[in-house]
Amino acid sequence: MTELSQIEERARTLRAELENHNYQYYVMDAPSIPDAEYDRLMRALIALEKEYPSLITADSPSQKVGGAPLSKFEQITHEVPMLSLDNGFNEDDLIAFEKRLQERLLNVNDLRFSCEPKLDGLAVSIMYEDGVLTQAATRGDGQVGENITQNVKTIANVPIKLRGENIPKRLEVRGEVFMPKQGFEQLNQTQKERGDKLFANPRNAAAGSLRQLDSRITAKRPLLFYAYSMGVIEGETLNALDFHTQRLTALGEWGVPLCKESAVAIGAKQCIEYFNSIGEQRNALSYDIDGVVFKVDDISMQKRLGFVSKAPRWAMAQKFPAQEEITVLQDVEFQVGRTGAITPVARLEPVFVGGVTVSNATLHNQDEILRLGVKINDTVVIRRAGDVIPQIVSVVMDKRTSSAVDIVFPTHCPVCESHVERSESEAVARCTGGLVCPAQRKEAIKHFASRKAFDIDGLGDKIVEQLVEAKLIENPADLFRLNLPMLTSLERMGDKSAVNLLNALETAKNTTLPKFLYSLGIREVGESTARNLAMHFLSLESIMQAEIESLLEVPDVGDIVAQHLFHFMREPSNIDIITSLQDLGVNWPTIEQASAEQQPLLAKTVVLTGTLSQMGRSEAKAKLQDMGAKVSGSVSAKTDLLIAGEKAGSKLSKAQSLNIDIWNEEQMLAFFAEYDDK
């Protein structure tokens, strides 16, 4: 063998070895040699081809290295248009998609779908002739794309030459060029160190890298390619491949890289299961995806279904609702909601995510801040799901700097300076100034005037809002300071309506202690609890002075309710409002200690169920509570009595199984009558 023959053989051997290692690494995901050894083989081939240029072939692995810069991109017309896909956004869309398919296919059941992660990259077309890469183009407008052949050749896992048998004479491979997450982060770090512009996300980085006029720049970018279909096919090879997934398998056998997370599903139900499963894996994947593509697997069915506009009828992209980005948390502000909840809101360096520019995100509560370990000036991952307010998902700890500052939760309301209360069993901290806090003002007054509280006739929500917005009232006590000129100054408030409202306010001053307690809007203190408190302590003064231990002695008052009551009654601003209400004439009759005869159901738990025909349920409940009963909504082993009206259902059955006493409506009314006679 001559020296030249030996050199040619050496070159062929090197090319074959490198092609095989590429296949093992990128397609089989099973590297056969260390990276350093691969690099030595590649350097040897490049050196050999440099010394003997005649040995260079179009399919040589060395041709992945960038060539000379291109002056401009040529335009390439796609022989088969590269269409887009219709999108779906929820399970109903996927079910409707299956239904449309079944109707067009004359009710074919158990449709088989190919399920493929929708990579967030750039769609490309790669043409192979006699197994050798000859041309590559972007999708462009679907009809015409850009010639990016030299750049695609530099992508590490794109085969320059297909391997195996039965390769079509001409084969167009279609797929997605993308940048893995790790490669994206490394690229942006390099850009930052150089003072260059950072890429917004991996997709933008991939698109920018693929459209470089100098393919040597593309060669340095960490791009990869996964195939998802075929376009042009010339030859008899695929006649026996009747399913889309069979064609993908053939591509894999020829050395074309495929997404290993793809799968097959039967019917919409399995498609939904796959979608949910891949969604759970999304953050752990090495590449970004923004949904799942579902395709009818049967090629003959695809042909029958055809196309509509610019999309095939046989495929749909189901999009994920959440999208993520990275930005910097610049500050945290604490907002007070209408119920007094203190919510930390992150002020962010503006970032484009989920189709909008985001500058704020919720941190939910103090526990969430601790769980995330987030600090001001941290680099954070932001997720935006649909139209829901964005939230911080995690901290990029590698990017934490010495300027990171702890987030300090306030001990006083940032709006009214009242104390902030947080129960041990709750994650949410709340402002205790419910009666005076401007953030809670409207809701507090609406509750105060509601039917079960002061029941002020004519004082609806809109009137309350007008009064607050006109700055005529700031707290419930101000309602009783209103006069005729103040009310008639409101829009659409005539003299008669104003007089009627003033009369209603005067009438409402005469109330009861339970209703007064309920009207204050103390958290967890509903009608029943307010009644129990009143009957136990007999006076407002005793309730206001009660310690937590004393409050816990009241039926229906647990530790959480006791904490809320205790802190509410010790907030100076709340005490001022209560005093003002009494000074303005709000009063209630004195409650005397009830005897056992007056409260025959004391400490008994009663449940009402079914339809009462002679007495309203609310009236019956109030009567039972007057008799000392705790009226519950569910039956349990602790239930003492069930009162069953007409059409009583599961609660009656459960009470019977637990041997609980059961009365009908007539028995209840007879008991009430006996009680009233005493």
Side-chain angles (χ1 to χ4, degrees), residues 75-84 123 125 137-146 172 174 211 310:
Q75 302 297 298
I76 291 180
T77 300
H78 299 297
E79 296 179 44
V80 176
M82 294 185 71
L83 303 179
S84 57
S125 159
T138 61
R139 177 183 177 275
D141 62 4
Q143 301 292 331
V144 178
E146 300 163 324
E172 180 190 3
R174 292 180 172 181
R211 289 195 175 101
K310 294 185 178 180

Side-chain angles (χ1 to χ4, degrees), residues 181 261 274 276-286 289:
K181 295 175 183 177
E261 282 70 35
Y274 174 84
N276 292 335
S277 174
I278 205 72
E280 293 173 359
Q281 303 172 48
R282 185 183 184 190
N283 291 336
L285 296 175
S286 62
I289 57 175

Side-chain angles (χ1 to χ4, degrees), residues 313-491:
R313 288 194 180 96
W314 42 265
M316 184 184 80
Q318 184 84 353
K319 304 297 285 292
F320 287 127
Q323 294 179 323
E324 297 182 356
E325 248 311 340
I326 294 175
T327 188
V328 175
L329 192 161
Q330 297 177 323
D331 198 3
V332 174
E333 295 181 5
F334 294 89
Q335 295 183 347
V336 185
R338 60 184 180 83
T339 62
I342 309 291
T343 303
V345 177
R347 302 304 184 194
L348 309 169
E349 184 178 297
V351 60
F352 192 77
V353 56
V356 299
T357 298
V358 170
S359 55
N360 301 320
T362 180
L363 279 165
H364 297 292
N365 51 56
Q366 191 169 10
D367 286 349
E368 182 69 0
I369 291 173
L370 294 173
R371 184 187 72 80
L372 290 168
V374 64
K375 298 185 178 185
I376 294 171
N377 295 326
D378 268 345
T379 298
V380 294
V381 177
I382 302 298
R383 174 182 294 154
R384 179 178 180 270
D387 294 325
V388 178
I389 185 170
Q391 62 181 1
I392 292 178
V393 178
S394 61
V395 179
V396 184
M397 298 302 295
D398 292 345
K399 295 182 179 293
R400 174 168 286 172
T401 65
S402 58
S403 64
V405 179
D406 288 340
I407 299 170
V408 180
F409 217 86
T411 57
H412 290 76
C413 174
V415 176
C416 71
E417 290 296 319
S418 296
H419 287 89
V420 170
E421 169 203 2
R422 182 191 171 188
S423 299
E424 292 182 3
S425 59
E426 287 189 313
V428 178
R430 297 178 188 271
C431 165
T432 57
L435 296 177
V436 297
C437 184
Q440 305 172 65
R441 184 171 291 158
K442 288 182 180 179
E443 295 305 314
I445 296 172
K446 288 177 185 178
H447 175 80
F448 181 87
S450 65
R451 183 175 60 83
K452 294 180 180 180
F454 269 70
D455 193 17
I456 302 172
D457 189 31
L459 188 63
D461 289 354
K462 290 184 178 179
I463 300 296
V464 171
E465 290 174 4
Q466 281 186 282
L467 289 167
V468 172
E469 289 165 7
K471 298 183 179 180
L472 296 177
I473 58 173
E474 292 185 351
N475 58 65
D478 287 341
L479 289 170
F480 300 104
R481 297 188 178 102
L482 292 171
N483 56 41
L484 191 62
M486 294 167 72
L487 288 176
T488 54
S489 69
L490 298 177
E491 186 178 352

Side-chain angles (χ1 to χ4, degrees), residues 95-106:
I95 292 169
F97 171 60
E98 181 187 45
K99 185 177 180 181
R100 289 195 302 272
L101 296 175
Q102 289 174 332
E103 289 173 351
R104 286 189 170 272
L105 295 170
L106 302 179

